[in-house]
Amino acid sequence: MASGAQDIAKGAKAAFDKSQLVPASERVLALKIIRDELAARKDEILAANALDLKAAQAEVDAGRMSESMLKRLDLGTGDKWDSMLQGILDVSGLPDPTGIVSYASELDDGLELYRVSCPIGVLLVIFEARPEVVVNIATLAIKSGNAAILKGGKESNNSTVLLSKAISAGLAKTALPDTYIQTIQSRAEVSSLLALDQYIDLVIPRGSNSLVQNIKNNTRIPVMGHADGLCSVFLDESANVDKAVRIVVDSKTDYPSACNSAETLIVHEAVLNTVWPKVAEALLDANVKLLVDEPSLAALKASSSHPRIESYVSPADDEAYNTEHLSLTLSVKTLPSLSAAISWINAHSSHHTESIVTESDESASIFTRGVDSAGTFINASTRFADGFRYGFGTEVGIATGRIHARGPVGLDGLVTYKYMMKSKGEKGHIASEFGTGANKRPFKHARIDAKAVPF
Amino acid sequence: MASGAQDIAKGAKAAFDKSQLVPASERVLALKIIRDELAARKDEILAANALDLKAAQAEVDAGRMSESMLKRLDLGTGDKWDSMLQGILDVSGLPDPTGIVSYASELDDGLELYRVSCPIGVLLVIFEARPEVVVNIATLAIKSGNAAILKGGKESNNSTVLLSKAISAGLAKTALPDTYIQTIQSRAEVSSLLALDQYIDLVIPRGSNSLVQNIKNNTRIPVMGHADGLCSVFLDESANVDKAVRIVVDSKTDYPSACNSAETLIVHEAVLNTVWPKVAEALLDANVKLLVDEPSLAALKASSSHPRIESYVSPADDEAYNTEHLSLTLSVKTLPSLSAAISWINAHSSHHTESIVTESDESASIFTRGVDSAGTFINASTRFADGFRYGFGTEVGIATGRIHARGPVGLDGLVTYKYMMKSKGEKGHIASEFGTGANKRPFKHARIDAKAVPF
């Protein structure tokens, strides 16, 4: 056990406990101050970012890092810096997710119960590569009232250290404790922290399936994982060809490296010779490589002479259907019925988002209920699975589990609740007075219409 | 890996997937049929229960089992059998927790999003001793639409086997799959099942802290633990003496072996010579043994000559404040302020339920917000922390974690949600049409007032 990790975790819990008596308005103010600290330190931070970029360029040159990862490290590119700062203000302006009453009941005359949202406690958030995520996550944690310990990718260490210093400098100007947001650099610290379930309440890993699985294997702290999306589109027997083309092409090509992009196309065999060839041609036109099964290959060859069939279409092996391509590649599976498609999806998908293209209300209803995924869509692209598109104003990520929060997670995924009860009775309230029998009375259980706790 | 466990888990997941297309009304019907099956098999089940009782009596005689555990095993005592059957009908009559829309938004003209509650999937529920819990939990699982694998205590095996047979016989008469509810007998099967996170979605252990910790250490499946309650009552400097006496005595003595009974009394030093002696005398009158610190002992001796002080009052060691007595014993701690009490509770309690006795609105407000427990009460007994008393109609248990569900858990703790989206657009909906720039449009995000999904 690194004593450093113990100190960090204890510091975070102490900060959380102390912060419970700091009003939410102070958290909004802190976000404004942090934004200003970052703005004032822009040159310094971008200079540190340049060091990360230089090291990354050497890795790219040596063939050990992809160009796209290098690009994700760059804080100065395009409007990324300004977006990061504006994001702080956007989140600070969202409604406070804490203090909201979701259940209120008068249990007896003068005995009132309120279920009220409150922060979870201490979050340990682990993510990869992009340095601005430190700022995004710190913003979400502060807005929702949680203390947080953040670990970014080692490739962005220089940038992360300076971003964290700015956040700490901002916090020091507020009533919030200075250990409210802490960052760590090493994997060893993560390992030590994963053992400290007395201080840490939730681990949020954002990254690959293997990162999430590895963390789940090594902690008894609850884990809200954000991992792979193995999304699919199903062309039902009543699929409209124009909708099918638009939705499949968008689901695959709008942003291929996103987790809500489609990786698998499932074709009802009834449309193999009608809808499927049109969809395939549109995909080939969009430079999409197709990994197909025998029926879909035969149907395509019989109906189309698209010039790319030879070079862009190849047989799928079993692994193709379990692969998150994250590129312009799509696996294609032919199945004989809607129910076969539902069973196949439930067995193969990552339970992220699936869409049906259909003109049948009955098929749509069966699909949305029978498919066990966080998103079940009718005639809409899988790419809509996103916190901003859903209207949450921000996004912690897209949770691939089904406990606590599922699918795109907004600020309300970072809160839990507590039950507050108040007796206004002259003698207080005790439980032994309730029940059946002599001198006992029943509970009243009259719902109270309240949005906030009145005491 | 026992292949038996693999088959059980796969069977449960298959049953869950199939059940998604069975209407909720069928689940209510199944509960009625199961109740009737149990009623028809009463003699047979009580005969099996007699075998368990006989074996338990031998354990009691040998000093290896407590009388209270023997009593908990007895299905025939008092109105337990009838209560068990009535409980099935009570739960079946509660509102369906699934299909409820908690967020609905029109993202664009003709593009509607619904967040709708749905079952979690496959539950693995592990509990101790009382055989009727098999029936209670099966009822909760069926009502909420989850498949379940149940493991009871080995002491009730004979009873549990016959109760399970009745449940299976009932399910066989319905449209629900016969592997929807399964029971297992051995710890080895539990160990194997804890590795099968591809089939099992949530583990619910109900029992001791060590049971819950052991399970958390041995699975990557999310765990919703129901374990110890180390509840406390705090006597604030403005505490009313009559309220203090009533609330402390009720919190301690109403049902000492319950998890929502108080184990610790915290006394503000300002009331050491006023409120505390009266409370102590009432506790001594109620046969409560007191483990006290030096200030509370000195104050009690100075103010009271209660005849039980010599025999019922003794010094507390550090361990006393971390012990769930579950009996007529109460630890007493003196602290100098409200804020010291809050810090002490947050460090020592099991975050279950804490109550303040106070006449100060300010102290009450600070206590309910600053104490990080599932229940924070003002002038009310900790014994109110209970699903029935809260008005939920039933109770899965009292969750001691803070993820997914916290405190008393009703049926809504056994559901998650999914996002259903429908495009009514003539061309379906694709994501690349939205955004800023040429030919792009913004999202509409108009909230829809809907309680159920209209498609």
Side-chain angles (χ1 to χ4, degrees):
Chain A
M1 175 67 55
S3 73
Q6 181 94 19
D7 291 344
I8 288 166
K10 278 177 96 159
K13 184 57 110 181
F16 172 70
D17 284 342
K18 195 180 159 203
S19 73
Q20 291 304 284
L21 296 173
V22 176
S25 56
E26 189 72 19
R27 304 200 303 261
V28 171
L29 178 65
L31 291 175
K32 167 85 174 60
I33 292 172
I34 288 170
R35 184 223 158 269
D36 293 346
E37 280 292 333
L38 287 163
R41 295 164 186 235
K42 179 178 179 182
D43 293 346
E44 191 187 343
I45 293 168
L46 289 185
N49 187 234
L51 295 177
D52 285 332
L53 289 172
K54 193 176 166 191
Q57 185 62 57
E59 293 294 301
V60 171
D61 293 345
R64 289 189 296 260
M65 186 188 283
S66 66
E67 278 284 353
S68 64
M69 182 178 266
L70 174 71
K71 207 170 159 194
R72 287 204 291 271
L73 282 176
D74 190 350
L75 269 180
T77 187
D79 65 350
K80 209 194 254 189
W81 177 266
D82 291 337
S83 294
M84 182 181 82
L85 296 193
Q86 184 56 43
I88 301 173
L89 299 184
D90 290 347
V91 170
S92 84
L94 290 172
D96 183 3
T98 68
I100 297 168
V101 170
S102 57
Y103 178 84
S105 177
E106 192 180 30
L107 305 191
D108 186 40
D109 289 337
L111 183 64
E112 296 181 355
L113 175 74
Y114 296 85
R115 179 168 67 199
V116 53
S117 65
C118 61
I120 291 170
V122 177
L123 313 178
L124 171 60
V125 189
I126 299 154
F127 48 92
E128 294 170 340
R130 295 184 301 128
E132 74 272 23
V133 175
V134 172
V135 176
N136 300 344
I137 299 285
T139 301
L140 294 168
I142 292 170
K143 177 69 185 181
S144 57
N146 292 285
I149 303 167
L150 313 179
K151 160 79 171 69
K154 67 179 185 312
E155 304 80 6
S156 60
N157 262 355
N158 287 296
S159 317
T160 308
V161 166
L162 286 206
L163 290 169
S164 306
K165 278 190 180 162
I167 293 168
S168 298
L171 284 175
K173 295 178 179 174
T174 74
L176 290 166
D178 57 358
T179 53
Y180 199 54
I181 304 291
Q182 300 174 85
T183 55
I184 56 175
Q185 257 70 40
S186 80
R187 285 195 190 180
E189 284 172 309
V190 172
S191 297
S192 301
L193 289 170
L194 290 177
L196 300 176
D197 63 329
Q198 70 271 48
Y199 302 121
I200 298 172
D201 299 299
L202 182 65
V203 184
I204 305 180
R206 308 196 333 169
S208 64
N209 253 349
S210 63
L211 170 75
V212 174
Q213 286 299 319
N214 184 37
I215 284 168
K216 286 187 182 175
N217 283 341
N218 288 289
T219 189
R220 67 170 83 99
I221 305 170
V223 177
M224 185 157 79
H226 298 69
D228 297 354
L230 211 63
C231 303
S232 63
V233 178
F234 170 58
L235 304 181
D236 189 33
E237 61 182 325
S238 68
N240 171 286
V241 65
D242 295 332
K243 290 182 186 174
V245 166
R246 279 165 46 85
I247 289 162
V248 174
V249 170
D250 187 84
S251 296
K252 180 69 255 183
T253 69
D254 185 50
Y255 188 7
S257 64
C259 65
N260 57 14
S261 293
E263 306 296 357
T264 307
L265 174 66
I266 302 167
V267 182
H268 191 298
E269 64 181 18
V271 298
L272 265 185
N273 299 306
T274 51
V275 181
W276 155 242
K278 302 291 182 199
V279 170
E281 290 184 339
L283 288 165
L284 293 172
D285 287 344
N287 297 318
V288 177
K289 291 190 171 137
L290 301 173
L291 302 175
V292 298
D293 59 2
E294 284 184 23
S296 59
L297 180 61
L300 180 59
K301 285 190 166 167
S303 310
S304 171
S305 53
H306 197 285
R308 285 182 169 158
I309 288 182
E310 281 308 311
S311 52
Y312 274 63
V313 181
S314 53
D317 56 16
D318 284 349
E319 207 36 50
Y321 300 112
N322 300 317
T323 301
E324 191 180 16
H325 303 298
L326 295 173
S327 63
L328 287 176
T329 298
L330 185 68
S331 308
V332 182
K333 177 77 184 174
T334 309
L335 287 169
S337 65
L338 170 63
S339 66
I342 292 172
S343 297
W344 198 89
I345 289 169
N346 287 342
H348 286 82
S349 96
S350 65
H351 308 288
H352 187 299
T353 302
E354 330 290 334
S355 182
I356 184 172
V357 182
T358 187
E359 295 301 303
S360 158
D361 287 345
E362 191 189 355
S363 292
S365 177
I366 291 172
F367 183 88
T368 50
R369 282 154 184 82
V371 168
D372 181 27
S373 292
T376 56
F377 294 177
I378 305 161
N379 294 328
S381 167
T382 58
R383 286 276 297 140
F384 285 112
D386 174 278
F388 291 92
R389 288 169 181 177
Y390 279 8
F392 303 161
T394 187
E395 183 181 273
V396 179
I398 299 186
T400 42
R402 60 188 74 204
I403 301 302
H404 194 76
R406 188 183 196 194
V409 180
L411 284 170
D412 59 359
L414 294 183
V415 298
T416 180
Y417 53 77
K418 69 203 294 187
Y419 289 91
M420 296 185 185
M421 188 185 289
K422 180 174 187 174
S423 165
K424 299 172 178 170
E426 272 181 36
K427 303 194 288 178
H429 269 84
I430 62 175
S432 59
E433 291 177 342
F434 294 84
T436 51
N439 301 319
K440 306 257 184 186
R441 60 185 188 275
F443 283 98
K444 189 172 168 182
H445 289 152
R447 291 294 278 265
I448 300 169
D449 187 22
K451 294 219 161 64
V453 177
F455 51 83
Chain B
M1 173 67 54
S3 73
Q6 181 94 19
D7 291 344
I8 288 166
K10 278 177 96 159
K13 184 57 110 181
F16 172 70
D17 284 342
K18 195 179 159 203
S19 74
Q20 290 304 283
L21 295 173
V22 176
S25 57
E26 189 73 19
R27 304 201 303 262
V28 171
L29 178 64
L31 291 176
K32 167 86 173 62
I33 292 172
I34 287 169
R35 185 223 158 269
D36 294 345
E37 281 291 333
L38 287 164
R41 295 164 186 235
K42 179 178 178 183
D43 293 347
E44 191 186 343
I45 294 167
L46 290 185
N49 187 234
L51 294 178
D52 286 332
L53 290 173
K54 195 176 165 191
Q57 185 62 56
E59 292 295 300
V60 172
D61 293 345
R64 290 189 295 262
M65 186 186 284
S66 67
E67 277 285 352
S68 65
M69 183 179 265
L70 174 71
K71 206 171 159 191
R72 286 204 292 271
L73 282 175
D74 191 349
L75 269 181
T77 189
D79 64 349
K80 208 194 254 188
W81 176 265
D82 291 337
S83 295
M84 182 181 84
L85 296 193
Q86 184 57 41
I88 302 173
L89 300 184
D90 290 348
V91 170
S92 83
L94 290 172
D96 184 3
T98 68
I100 297 167
V101 169
S102 58
Y103 178 85
S105 177
E106 194 179 30
L107 305 191
D108 187 40
D109 291 336
L111 184 63
E112 295 180 356
L113 174 73
Y114 296 85
R115 178 169 68 197
V116 53
S117 65
C118 61
I120 291 170
V122 176
L123 312 178
L124 171 60
V125 189
I126 299 155
F127 48 92
E128 294 170 339
R130 294 185 299 129
E132 73 273 23
V133 175
V134 172
V135 175
N136 299 344
I137 298 286
T139 301
L140 294 168
I142 292 169
K143 177 69 185 180
S144 58
N146 292 285
I149 303 168
L150 312 178
K151 160 80 170 69
K154 67 178 187 312
E155 303 80 6
S156 60
N157 261 355
N158 287 297
S159 318
T160 308
V161 167
L162 286 206
L163 290 168
S164 306
K165 277 190 181 162
I167 293 168
S168 298
L171 284 175
K173 296 179 178 174
T174 73
L176 290 167
D178 57 358
T179 53
Y180 199 54
I181 304 292
Q182 301 175 83
T183 54
I184 56 174
Q185 257 70 40
S186 80
R187 285 194 189 181
E189 283 172 309
V190 171
S191 297
S192 302
L193 289 170
L194 289 177
L196 300 176
D197 62 329
Q198 69 271 48
Y199 302 121
I200 298 171
D201 300 298
L202 182 66
V203 184
I204 305 180
R206 307 196 334 169
S208 64
N209 253 347
S210 63
L211 171 74
V212 174
Q213 286 300 319
N214 184 37
I215 283 169
K216 285 186 182 176
N217 282 341
N218 287 289
T219 188
R220 68 170 81 99
I221 305 171
V223 177
M224 184 156 80
H226 298 69
D228 297 355
L230 211 63
C231 303
S232 63
V233 178
F234 171 57
L235 304 182
D236 188 34
E237 61 182 326
S238 67
N240 170 286
V241 66
D242 295 331
K243 289 182 186 173
V245 167
R246 277 165 47 85
I247 290 163
V248 175
V249 170
D250 187 83
S251 296
K252 180 68 255 182
T253 69
D254 185 49
Y255 187 9
S257 65
C259 66
N260 56 13
S261 294
E263 306 295 358
T264 306
L265 174 66
I266 303 167
V267 183
H268 192 298
E269 64 181 18
V271 298
L272 265 185
N273 299 306
T274 52
V275 180
W276 156 240
K278 302 291 181 198
V279 170
E281 290 185 339
L283 288 165
L284 294 172
D285 286 344
N287 298 317
V288 176
K289 292 188 170 140
L290 301 173
L291 302 175
V292 297
D293 59 1
E294 285 184 24
S296 58
L297 180 60
L300 180 59
K301 285 189 168 170
S303 311
S304 170
S305 54
H306 196 285
R308 284 181 171 159
I309 289 183
E310 281 308 311
S311 52
Y312 274 63
V313 182
S314 54
D317 56 15
D318 284 350
E319 206 37 50
Y321 300 112
N322 299 318
T323 302
E324 192 181 15
H325 304 297
L326 296 174
S327 63
L328 287 176
T329 298
L330 185 67
S331 308
V332 182
K333 177 77 183 173
T334 309
L335 287 168
S337 65
L338 170 63
S339 66
I342 293 172
S343 298
W344 198 89
I345 288 170
N346 287 341
H348 286 82
S349 96
S350 65
H351 308 288
H352 186 300
T353 301
E354 329 291 334
S355 183
I356 184 174
V357 182
T358 187
E359 296 301 302
S360 157
D361 287 345
E362 191 189 355
S363 292
S365 177
I366 291 172
F367 183 88
T368 50
R369 282 153 184 82
V371 168
D372 180 27
S373 292
T376 55
F377 296 177
I378 305 161
N379 294 329
S381 168
T382 58
R383 287 275 299 139
F384 285 112
D386 173 280
F388 292 92
R389 288 168 180 176
Y390 279 9
F392 302 161
T394 186
E395 184 182 272
V396 180
I398 299 187
T400 43
R402 60 188 75 204
I403 301 303
H404 193 77
R406 188 183 197 195
V409 181
L411 284 170
D412 58 0
L414 294 182
V415 298
T416 179
Y417 53 77
K418 70 203 295 188
Y419 288 92
M420 296 186 184
M421 188 185 288
K422 181 173 187 173
S423 165
K424 299 172 178 171
E426 272 180 35
K427 303 193 288 179
H429 269 84
I430 61 175
S432 59
E433 291 177 343
F434 294 84
T436 51
N439 301 318
K440 305 256 183 186
R441 60 186 188 276
F443 283 97
K444 188 172 168 184
H445 288 154
R447 289 295 280 266
I448 300 169
D449 186 23
K451 293 221 162 64
V453 176
F455 51 82

